Amino acid sequence: MARVNALQSLTLVRHGESIGNIAYQAVLGTDAEEVGLVERDADIPLSELGRVQATALGRWLRALPADERPTRVLSSPYLRTAETARIALEEASLDAEIQVDERLRDREQGVLEGLTVLGVHRRHPEEATRMKRLGKFYYRPPGGESWADLALRLRSLYRDVEQDMPGERVLVATHDAIVVMTRYLVEGLSEGEIMKIEKTRVANCSVSRWHRDGEHLRPVSYNETGHLSGIRTARA
């Protein structure tokens, strides 16, 4: 398990809908080999809907009891996550500094960056075969990361968080893969368990929470979207 039990609570939020999410949705079911984004992954901003979702997240944070509101805030350095954190904190009137940590960035795709599933099979058939043989958890694309690699950098992150933020209520703005792998680490899940969970999409601006119960963090909610009620929900 990840060593985060010194925290009072841990809350992870996936970024709001981005223009990247819209682009991926647009090519589903087509013969496109590329998604067609011109920005590098780190520079993809929120969509208009994503900003609305981030504002709704801020209202949810503002409504929390005082003893549940975050005392520390971490964010991936990517633009869409930093925007989500900034908008939400402003709406919540939370005067907390956003601490950026590159270990919270999205999973590196390497040579597969920007390709659709069809594009991977046509341009890198050997990688598609290797992925199938190794399985999703351990497959590492050339120049990229496996899900197991995410676990390694997150173990490092959470060791530092526990050491530097004991007793704090930590809010993290990050990406879907990081939310999934945090659950793997904090709850001590197996490869099979977490890959089954991963099949359900982590919704944009969803909230996943763990609270301290005795000596350990216990899951409270996962992929919660009730605070987005009435808002058109996100794409993949």
Side-chain angles (χ1 to χ4, degrees), residues 188-202:
L189 302 179
S190 67
E191 173 192 352
E193 288 171 329
I194 201 60
M195 288 292 96
K196 183 177 180 180
I197 289 169
E198 187 273 334
K199 293 180 184 300
T200 299
R201 180 181 62 85
V202 178

Side-chain angles (χ1 to χ4, degrees), residues 15-18 46-60 83-84 87-88 91 204-205 227-233:
H15 60 81
E17 182 191 72
S18 72
L46 293 177
S47 67
E48 180 179 353
L49 172 60
R51 291 189 290 273
V52 171
Q53 291 170 332
T55 300
L57 172 65
R59 289 195 295 268
W60 176 80
E83 284 186 321
T84 299
I87 293 170
E91 180 67 23
N204 289 113
C205 245
H227 54 289
L228 303 176
S229 178
I231 299 173
R232 182 170 57 89
T233 53

Side-chain angles (χ1 to χ4, degrees), residues 30-49:
T30 74
D31 61 356
E33 296 183 9
E34 296 183 0
V35 177
L37 291 165
V38 296
E39 300 88 353
R40 63 174 187 158
D41 194 21
D43 297 331
I44 293 174
L46 293 177
S47 67
E48 180 179 353
L49 172 60

Side-chain angles (χ1 to χ4, degrees), residues 143-164:
E145 295 177 295
S146 68
W147 288 75
D149 291 328
L150 293 187
L152 292 176
R153 61 169 150 103
L154 286 175
R155 288 186 194 279
S156 166
L157 168 76
Y158 288 129
R159 278 195 299 269
D160 290 349
V161 167
E162 180 172 76
Q163 178 178 321
D164 298 340

Side-chain angles (χ1 to χ4, degrees), residues 153-184:
R153 61 169 150 103
L154 286 175
R155 288 186 194 279
S156 166
L157 168 76
Y158 288 129
R159 278 195 299 269
D160 290 349
V161 167
E162 180 172 76
Q163 178 178 321
D164 298 340
M165 305 179 187
E168 302 276 9
R169 299 185 295 272
V170 178
L171 172 69
V172 178
T174 189
H175 307 268
D176 53 353
I178 301 299
V179 176
V180 170
M181 289 309 294
T182 293
R183 185 169 180 183
Y184 168 79

